[in-house]
């Protein structure tokens, strides 16, 4: 049974940090590209960060470059998103996604709210 479970969201003030985690099971985690998406109210879901399965290379949306860092621990079947210098516009539900060829697995999302 495939499971993708995000955690670590919450309410923080502008400028603070959060670390999201995504624990996966039920599939071969190490061969999947892992992504973090987010969806703000009234907006489309957008890709925030990607880390590949092959060489661990990463890619980021322009809006988060230099502030967010994606990483993975294949021994723990977990991907992380370290978010620093958070801004109110980072407020969204953050989703973890596993992708390989035509297969996609999604988590249920975790809420991140940045507000003073």
């Amino acid at each position: 049974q495939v499971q993708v479970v995000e955690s670590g969201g919450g309410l923080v003030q502008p400028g603070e940090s959060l670390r999201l985690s995504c624990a996966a099971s039920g599939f071969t985690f190490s061969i999947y590209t892992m992504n973090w998406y987010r969806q703000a109210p009234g907006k489309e879901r957008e890709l925030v960060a990607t880390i590949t399965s092959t060489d661990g290379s990463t890619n980021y949306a322009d809006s988060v470059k230099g502030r967010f860092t994606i990483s993975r621990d294949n021994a723990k079947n977990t991907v992380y998103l370290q978010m620093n210098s958070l801004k109110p516009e980072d407020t969204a539900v953050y989703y973890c996604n596993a992708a390989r060829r035509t297969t996609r697995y999604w988590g249920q999302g975790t809420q991140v709210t940045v507000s003073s």
Side-chain angles (χ1 to χ4, degrees), residues 51-96:
I51 185 164
T52 65
S53 61
T54 50
D55 59 2
S57 59
T58 59
N59 197 31
Y60 299 92
D62 288 343
S63 58
V64 306
K65 277 181 184 175
R67 300 188 298 122
F68 289 12
T69 303
I70 188 171
S71 61
R72 65 190 298 161
D73 185 338
N74 288 340
K76 295 183 178 180
N77 287 1
T78 301
V79 62
Y80 305 97
L81 186 67
Q82 178 67 43
M83 306 186 294
N84 298 330
S85 302
L86 283 161
K87 305 175 181 180
E89 51 265 43
D90 294 319
T91 295
V93 178
Y94 284 72
Y95 296 92
C96 180

Side-chain angles (χ1 to χ4, degrees), residues 14-32:
E16 293 185 340
S17 298
L18 273 177
R19 188 196 197 203
L20 304 184
S21 298
C22 169
S25 61
F27 60 98
T28 308
F29 177 85
S30 62
I31 64 173
Y32 278 71

